[in-house]
Coordinates of all heavy atoms in Angstrom, one line a residue:
M225 N 90.1 40.6 -90.5 CA 88.8 40.4 -91.0 C 88.0 39.3 -90.0 O 88.7 38.3 -89.5 CB 88.7 39.7 -92.4 CG 89.2 40.7 -93.5 SD 87.8 41.9 -93.7 CE 86.6 40.9 -94.6
P226 N 86.8 39.6 -89.6 CA 86.0 38.8 -88.7 C 85.8 37.4 -89.5 O 85.3 37.5 -90.7 CB 84.8 39.5 -88.4 CG 84.7 40.6 -89.5 CD 86.0 40.8 -89.9
N227 N 85.9 36.4 -88.8 CA 85.8 35.0 -89.4 C 85.0 34.2 -88.4 O 85.3 34.3 -87.1 CB 87.1 34.4 -89.7 CG 87.4 34.5 -91.2 OD1 86.4 34.5 -92.0 ND2 88.6 34.4 -91.6
P228 N 84.1 33.2 -88.9 CA 83.6 32.4 -87.9 C 84.7 31.4 -87.3 O 85.6 31.0 -88.0 CB 82.6 31.5 -88.7 CG 82.9 31.8 -90.1 CD 83.6 33.1 -90.2
N229 N 84.7 31.2 -86.0 CA 85.8 30.5 -85.4 C 85.5 29.1 -85.2 O 86.3 28.4 -84.6 CB 86.1 31.1 -83.9 CG 84.9 31.2 -83.0 OD1 83.8 30.6 -83.4 ND2 84.9 31.9 -82.0
A230 N 84.4 28.6 -85.8 CA 84.2 27.1 -85.8 C 83.3 26.8 -87.0 O 82.5 27.5 -87.4 CB 83.4 26.7 -84.5
K231 N 83.7 25.6 -87.5 CA 82.8 25.2 -88.7 C 81.6 24.5 -88.2 O 81.6 23.8 -87.2 CB 83.6 24.1 -89.6 CG 82.9 23.4 -90.6 CD 83.7 22.4 -91.3 CE 82.8 21.7 -92.4 NZ 83.5 20.7 -93.1
F232 N 80.5 24.9 -88.8 CA 79.1 24.3 -88.4 C 79.0 22.9 -89.0 O 79.3 22.7 -90.2 CB 78.1 25.2 -88.8 CG 77.9 26.3 -88.0 CD1 78.3 27.6 -88.4 CD2 77.4 26.3 -86.7 CE1 78.2 28.7 -87.6 CE2 77.3 27.4 -85.9 CZ 77.8 28.7 -86.4
S233 N 78.6 21.9 -88.2 CA 78.5 20.6 -88.8 C 77.3 20.5 -89.9 O 76.5 21.4 -89.9 CB 78.2 19.7 -87.7 OG 77.0 19.9 -87.1
K234 N 77.3 19.5 -90.6 CA 76.3 19.3 -91.6 C 74.9 19.2 -90.9 O 73.9 19.8 -91.4 CB 76.4 18.0 -92.3 CG 77.6 18.0 -93.3 CD 77.9 16.6 -93.8 CE 79.2 16.6 -94.6 NZ 79.6 15.2 -95.0
A235 N 74.8 18.7 -89.7 CA 73.6 18.7 -89.0 C 73.1 20.0 -88.6 O 71.9 20.4 -88.9 CB 73.6 17.8 -87.7
R236 N 74.1 20.8 -88.1 CA 73.7 22.2 -87.7 C 73.3 23.0 -88.9 O 72.3 23.8 -88.9 CB 74.9 22.9 -87.1 CG 75.2 22.6 -85.7 CD 74.9 23.8 -84.9 NE 75.0 23.5 -83.4 CZ 74.1 23.9 -82.6 NH1 73.1 24.7 -82.9 NH2 74.3 23.6 -81.3
R237 N 73.9 22.8 -90.0 CA 73.7 23.6 -91.3 C 72.3 23.3 -91.8 O 71.4 24.0 -92.1 CB 74.7 23.2 -92.4 CG 74.5 24.1 -93.7 CD 75.4 23.4 -94.8 NE 74.9 22.0 -95.0 CZ 75.6 21.0 -95.5 NH1 76.9 21.3 -95.9 NH2 75.2 19.8 -95.7
S238 N 72.0 21.8 -91.7 CA 70.7 21.4 -92.2 C 69.6 21.8 -91.2 O 68.4 22.2 -91.8 CB 70.6 19.9 -92.2 OG 71.8 19.4 -93.1
Q239 N 69.8 21.9 -90.0 CA 68.8 22.4 -89.1 C 68.4 23.9 -89.3 O 67.4 24.2 -89.3 CB 69.2 22.2 -87.5 CG 69.2 20.8 -87.1 CD 69.9 20.6 -85.8 OE1 70.3 21.6 -85.2 NE2 70.1 19.3 -85.4
R240 N 69.5 24.7 -89.6 CA 69.2 26.0 -89.9 C 68.4 26.2 -91.2 O 67.5 26.9 -91.3 CB 70.6 26.8 -90.0 CG 70.5 28.2 -90.4 CD 71.7 29.0 -90.4 NE 72.5 28.6 -91.6 CZ 73.7 28.0 -91.6 NH1 74.3 27.8 -90.4 NH2 74.4 27.7 -92.7
R241 N 68.8 25.4 -92.2 CA 68.1 25.5 -93.5 C 66.6 25.0 -93.4 O 65.8 25.4 -94.1 CB 68.8 24.7 -94.6 CG 70.1 25.5 -94.9 CD 70.9 24.9 -96.0 NE 72.3 25.6 -96.2 CZ 73.1 25.2 -97.0 NH1 73.0 24.0 -97.7 NH2 74.2 25.8 -97.1
A242 N 66.4 24.0 -92.5 CA 65.1 23.4 -92.3 C 64.2 24.5 -91.9 O 63.0 24.5 -92.1 CB 65.2 22.3 -91.4
Q243 N 64.7 25.4 -91.0 CA 63.7 26.5 -90.5 C 63.2 27.3 -91.6 O 62.1 27.8 -91.5 CB 64.5 27.4 -89.5 CG 64.9 26.7 -88.3 CD 65.8 27.6 -87.4 OE1 65.7 28.7 -87.5 NE2 66.4 27.0 -86.4
Y244 N 64.0 27.4 -92.7 CA 63.5 28.3 -93.8 C 62.3 27.7 -94.4 O 61.4 28.3 -94.8 CB 64.7 28.4 -94.8 CG 64.2 29.1 -96.1 CD1 63.8 30.4 -96.1 CD2 64.1 28.4 -97.3 CE1 63.5 31.1 -97.2 CE2 63.7 29.0 -98.5 CZ 63.4 30.3 -98.5 OH 63.0 30.8 -99.6
Y245 N 62.3 26.3 -94.6 CA 61.2 25.7 -95.2 C 60.0 25.6 -94.3 O 58.8 25.6 -94.8 CB 61.6 24.1 -95.7 CG 62.7 24.2 -96.8 CD1 64.0 23.9 -96.5 CD2 62.3 24.7 -98.0 CE1 64.9 24.0 -97.5 CE2 63.2 24.7 -99.1 CZ 64.5 24.4 -98.8 OH 65.4 24.5 -99.8
N246 N 60.3 25.4 -92.9 CA 59.1 25.5 -92.0 C 58.4 26.8 -92.1 O 57.2 26.9 -92.2 CB 59.6 25.3 -90.6 CG 60.0 23.9 -90.4 OD1 59.6 23.0 -91.0 ND2 60.8 23.8 -89.3
R247 N 59.2 27.9 -92.4 CA 58.6 29.3 -92.6 C 57.8 29.4 -93.9 O 56.7 30.0 -93.8 CB 59.7 30.3 -92.6 CG 59.6 31.4 -91.4 CD 60.7 32.3 -91.4 NE 61.9 31.8 -90.9 CZ 63.1 32.0 -91.4 NH1 63.4 32.8 -92.3 NH2 64.2 31.4 -90.8
L248 N 58.3 28.7 -94.8 CA 57.5 28.7 -96.0 C 56.2 28.2 -95.9 O 55.2 28.7 -96.3 CB 58.3 28.0 -97.2 CG 59.4 28.7 -97.9 CD1 59.9 27.8 -99.0 CD2 59.0 30.0 -98.4
E249 N 56.1 27.0 -95.1 CA 54.8 26.4 -94.9 C 53.9 27.3 -94.0 O 52.7 27.4 -94.4 CB 55.0 25.1 -94.2 CG 55.3 23.9 -95.2 CD 55.5 22.6 -94.5 OE1 55.1 22.4 -93.4 OE2 56.3 21.8 -95.1
K250 N 54.5 28.0 -93.0 CA 53.7 28.7 -92.1 C 53.0 29.9 -92.9 O 52.0 30.3 -92.7 CB 54.5 29.3 -91.0 CG 54.4 28.4 -89.7 CD 55.3 29.0 -88.7 CE 55.8 28.0 -87.8 NZ 56.8 28.4 -86.9
N251 N 53.8 30.5 -93.8 CA 53.3 31.7 -94.6 C 52.5 31.3 -95.8 O 52.1 32.2 -96.6 CB 54.6 32.6 -95.0 CG 55.1 33.2 -93.8 OD1 54.6 33.3 -92.8 ND2 56.4 33.5 -93.9
A252 N 52.3 30.0 -96.0 CA 51.5 29.6 -97.2 C 50.0 30.2 -97.0 O 49.6 30.2 -95.9 CB 51.4 28.1 -97.3
P253 N 49.3 30.5 -98.0 CA 48.1 31.2 -97.9 C 47.0 30.1 -97.5 O 47.0 28.9 -97.8 CB 47.7 31.6 -99.3 CG 48.6 30.8 -100.3 CD 49.8 30.5 -99.4
E254 N 46.2 30.6 -96.6 CA 45.1 29.7 -96.0 C 44.2 29.3 -97.0 O 43.7 30.2 -97.7 CB 44.4 30.4 -94.7 CG 45.3 30.5 -93.6 CD 45.3 29.2 -92.8 OE1 44.5 28.4 -92.9 OE2 46.2 29.2 -91.8
L255 N 43.9 28.0 -97.2 CA 42.9 27.6 -98.2 C 41.6 27.1 -97.5 O 41.7 26.6 -96.4 CB 43.5 26.6 -99.0 CG 44.7 26.9 -99.8 CD1 45.2 25.6 -100.7 CD2 44.4 27.9 -100.8
T256 N 40.5 27.4 -98.2 CA 39.2 26.9 -97.7 C 38.3 26.6 -98.8 O 38.7 26.8 -100.0 CB 38.5 28.1 -96.7 OG1 37.4 27.4 -96.2 CG2 38.2 29.2 -97.7
S257 N 37.2 25.9 -98.6 CA 36.4 25.5 -99.7 C 35.2 26.5 -99.9 O 34.8 27.0 -98.9 CB 35.9 24.1 -99.4 OG 35.3 24.0 -98.2
C258 N 34.9 26.7 -101.2 CA 33.9 27.7 -101.4 C 32.5 27.2 -100.9 O 32.2 26.0 -101.1 CB 33.9 27.9 -103.0 SG 32.6 29.0 -103.5
S259 N 31.7 28.1 -100.4 CA 30.4 27.7 -99.9 C 29.5 27.6 -101.0 O 28.4 27.0 -100.8 CB 29.9 28.8 -98.8 OG 29.9 30.0 -99.5
N260 N 29.8 28.2 -102.2 CA 28.8 28.1 -103.3 C 29.1 26.9 -104.2 O 28.2 26.1 -104.5 CB 29.0 29.4 -104.2 CG 28.1 29.4 -105.3 OD1 26.8 29.1 -105.2 ND2 28.5 29.6 -106.5
C261 N 30.4 26.7 -104.6 CA 30.7 25.7 -105.6 C 31.5 24.4 -104.9 O 31.7 23.4 -105.5 CB 31.3 26.1 -106.8 SG 33.0 26.8 -106.5
G262 N 32.1 24.8 -103.8 CA 32.9 23.7 -103.1 C 34.3 23.6 -103.6 O 35.1 22.8 -103.1
A263 N 34.8 24.5 -104.5 CA 36.1 24.4 -105.0 C 37.1 25.1 -103.9 O 36.6 25.9 -103.0 CB 36.3 25.2 -106.2
T264 N 38.4 24.6 -103.9 CA 39.3 25.2 -103.0 C 39.7 26.6 -103.4 O 40.0 26.8 -104.5 CB 40.5 24.3 -102.9 OG1 40.1 22.9 -102.6 CG2 41.5 24.7 -101.8
H265 N 39.7 27.5 -102.5 CA 40.2 28.9 -102.8 C 40.8 29.5 -101.6 O 40.6 29.0 -100.5 CB 39.0 29.7 -103.3 CG 38.0 30.1 -102.3 ND1 38.0 31.3 -101.5 CD2 36.9 29.4 -101.8 CE1 37.0 31.3 -100.8 NE2 36.3 30.2 -100.9
Q266 N 41.6 30.6 -101.8 CA 42.2 31.3 -100.8 C 41.2 32.0 -99.8 O 40.2 32.6 -100.3 CB 43.2 32.3 -101.4 CG 44.4 32.6 -100.6 CD 45.4 33.5 -101.3 OE1 45.3 33.5 -102.6 NE2 46.2 34.2 -100.7
M267 N 41.5 31.9 -98.6 CA 40.6 32.7 -97.7 C 40.6 34.1 -97.8 O 41.6 34.7 -98.3 CB 41.1 32.5 -96.2 CG 40.7 31.1 -95.6 SD 41.0 31.0 -93.9 CE 39.4 31.2 -93.2
H268 N 39.4 34.8 -97.6 CA 39.2 36.3 -97.8 C 39.5 36.7 -99.2 O 39.8 37.9 -99.5 CB 40.1 37.1 -96.8 CG 39.9 36.6 -95.4 ND1 40.9 36.2 -94.7 CD2 38.8 36.6 -94.6 CE1 40.5 35.8 -93.4 NE2 39.2 36.1 -93.4
R269 N 39.3 35.7 -100.1 CA 39.5 36.1 -101.5 C 38.3 35.5 -102.3 O 37.7 34.5 -101.9 CB 40.7 35.5 -102.2 CG 42.0 36.0 -101.5 CD 42.3 37.5 -102.0 NE 43.5 38.0 -101.5 CZ 43.7 38.5 -100.3 NH1 42.7 38.5 -99.4 NH2 44.9 38.9 -99.9
A270 N 37.9 36.1 -103.4 CA 36.8 35.6 -104.2 C 37.2 34.2 -104.8 O 38.4 34.0 -105.1 CB 36.5 36.5 -105.5
C271 N 36.2 33.3 -104.9 CA 36.6 32.0 -105.4 C 36.9 32.1 -106.9 O 36.2 32.7 -107.7 CB 35.3 31.1 -105.3 SG 35.3 29.5 -106.1
P272 N 38.0 31.5 -107.3 CA 38.4 31.6 -108.8 C 37.6 30.8 -109.7 O 37.5 31.1 -110.9 CB 39.9 31.0 -108.7 CG 39.8 30.1 -107.5 CD 39.0 30.7 -106.6
S273 N 36.8 29.8 -109.2 CA 36.0 29.1 -110.1 C 34.6 29.6 -110.4 O 34.1 29.5 -111.5 CB 36.0 27.6 -109.7 OG 35.2 27.5 -108.4
C274 N 34.0 30.2 -109.3 CA 32.7 30.7 -109.5 C 32.6 32.2 -109.4 O 31.6 33.0 -109.7 CB 31.7 30.1 -108.6 SG 31.9 30.5 -106.9
G275 N 33.7 32.9 -108.8 CA 33.8 34.4 -108.7 C 33.0 34.9 -107.6 O 32.8 36.1 -107.6
Q276 N 32.5 34.1 -106.5 CA 31.7 34.6 -105.5 C 32.6 34.7 -104.2 O 33.4 34.0 -104.0 CB 30.6 33.6 -105.3 CG 29.5 33.7 -106.4 CD 28.1 33.3 -105.9 OE1 28.0 33.0 -104.8 NE2 27.2 33.2 -106.9
Y277 N 32.2 35.7 -103.4 CA 32.7 35.9 -102.1 C 31.7 36.3 -101.1 O 30.9 37.2 -101.4 CB 33.9 36.9 -102.1 CG 34.5 37.1 -100.7 CD1 35.2 36.1 -100.2 CD2 34.4 38.3 -100.1 CE1 35.8 36.2 -98.9 CE2 34.9 38.5 -98.9 CZ 35.6 37.5 -98.2 OH 36.2 37.7 -97.0
R278 N 31.4 35.5 -100.1 CA 30.4 35.7 -99.0 C 29.0 35.8 -99.8 O 28.3 36.6 -99.4 CB 30.7 36.9 -98.2 CG 32.0 36.7 -97.3 CD 32.2 37.8 -96.4 NE 31.2 37.9 -95.4 CZ 31.2 38.7 -94.3 NH1 32.3 39.5 -94.1 NH2 30.3 38.7 -93.4
G279 N 28.7 34.9 -100.7 CA 27.4 34.8 -101.3 C 27.2 35.9 -102.4 O 26.0 35.9 -102.9
R280 N 28.2 36.8 -102.7 CA 27.8 37.8 -103.6 C 28.8 37.6 -104.8 O 30.0 37.2 -104.7 CB 28.1 39.2 -103.1 CG 27.1 39.5 -102.0 CD 27.1 41.0 -101.8 NE 28.4 41.5 -101.4 CZ 29.0 42.5 -101.9 NH1 28.6 43.3 -102.8 NH2 30.2 42.9 -101.2
Q281 N 28.4 37.8 -106.1 CA 29.1 37.7 -107.3 C 30.2 38.9 -107.3 O 29.8 40.1 -107.3 CB 28.3 37.7 -108.5 CG 29.0 37.2 -109.7 CD 29.2 35.8 -109.8 OE1 28.5 35.0 -109.2 NE2 30.4 35.4 -110.3
I282 N 31.4 38.6 -107.2 CA 32.5 39.6 -107.2 C 33.1 39.7 -108.5 O 33.3 40.8 -109.0 CB 33.5 39.4 -106.0 CG1 32.8 39.2 -104.7 CG2 34.5 40.4 -106.0 CD1 32.1 40.3 -104.1
V283 N 33.6 38.6 -109.0 CA 34.3 38.5 -110.3 C 33.5 37.9 -111.4 O 32.9 36.8 -111.1 CB 35.7 37.8 -110.1 CG1 36.6 38.0 -111.2 CG2 36.3 38.4 -108.8
A284 N 33.5 38.4 -112.5 CA 32.9 37.7 -113.7 C 33.8 36.6 -114.1 O 35.0 36.7 -114.2 CB 32.6 38.7 -114.8
V285 N 33.1 35.5 -114.3 CA 33.8 34.2 -114.6 C 33.4 33.8 -116.0 O 32.2 33.8 -116.4 CB 33.6 33.1 -113.6 CG1 34.3 31.8 -114.0 CG2 33.8 33.5 -112.2
K286 N 34.4 33.5 -116.8 CA 34.2 33.1 -118.2 C 33.6 31.6 -118.1 O 34.1 30.8 -117.5 CB 35.5 33.0 -119.0 CG 35.8 34.4 -119.4 CD 37.1 34.3 -120.3 CE 37.7 35.8 -120.6 NZ 39.0 35.6 -121.2
T287 N 32.4 31.4 -118.7 CA 31.9 30.1 -118.7 C 32.3 29.3 -119.9 O 32.5 28.0 -119.8 CB 30.3 30.1 -118.7 OG1 29.9 31.1 -119.7 CG2 29.8 30.6 -117.3
D288 N 32.5 30.0 -121.0 CA 33.1 29.1 -122.2 C 34.6 29.3 -122.2 O 35.1 30.4 -122.1 CB 32.4 29.7 -123.5 CG 32.7 31.1 -123.7 OD1 32.4 32.1 -122.8 OD2 33.3 31.6 -124.6
A289 N 35.2 28.2 -122.3 CA 36.7 28.3 -122.3 C 37.3 27.5 -123.6 O 37.0 26.5 -123.9 CB 37.3 27.6 -121.0
Ligands
ZN751 ZN1 33.1 28.9 -105.8

């Protein structure tokens, strides 16, 4: 059976796993602030707090909660 011919040190193992977390950060959705209400929302998506995207009302937002 094929086997690794050397044990990877803890440093090597940590470096490999650290790349995974760097990738998570890179693939995190880009956030921007809404031009209408100023809330933080995902880029190229309607604002969750006011429901507007590029100045137009896209999603109906419940005002009473
Ligand atoms: Zn907004």
Side-chain angles (χ1 to χ4, degrees):
M225 287 286 286
N227 257 333
N229 55 12
K231 177 184 175 181
F232 287 103
S233 67
K234 289 173 189 173
R236 280 250 172 222
R237 185 196 59 200
S238 303
Q239 281 165 14
R240 182 179 65 240
R241 290 180 184 175
Q243 290 178 17
Y244 173 69
Y245 292 105
N246 288 339
R247 236 177 288 144
L248 281 185
E249 273 179 27
K250 264 183 212 166
N251 291 335
E254 290 276 345
L255 295 177
T256 187
S257 53
C258 176
S259 57
N260 181 55
C261 69
T264 308
H265 69 94
Q266 211 174 331
M267 279 189 104
H268 307 120
R269 297 289 185 275
C271 172
S273 67
C274 68
Q276 289 202 5
Y277 180 64
R278 294 186 66 172
R280 292 197 297 131
Q281 193 73 31
I282 305 295
V283 186
V285 179
K286 284 181 189 171
T287 48
D288 58 304

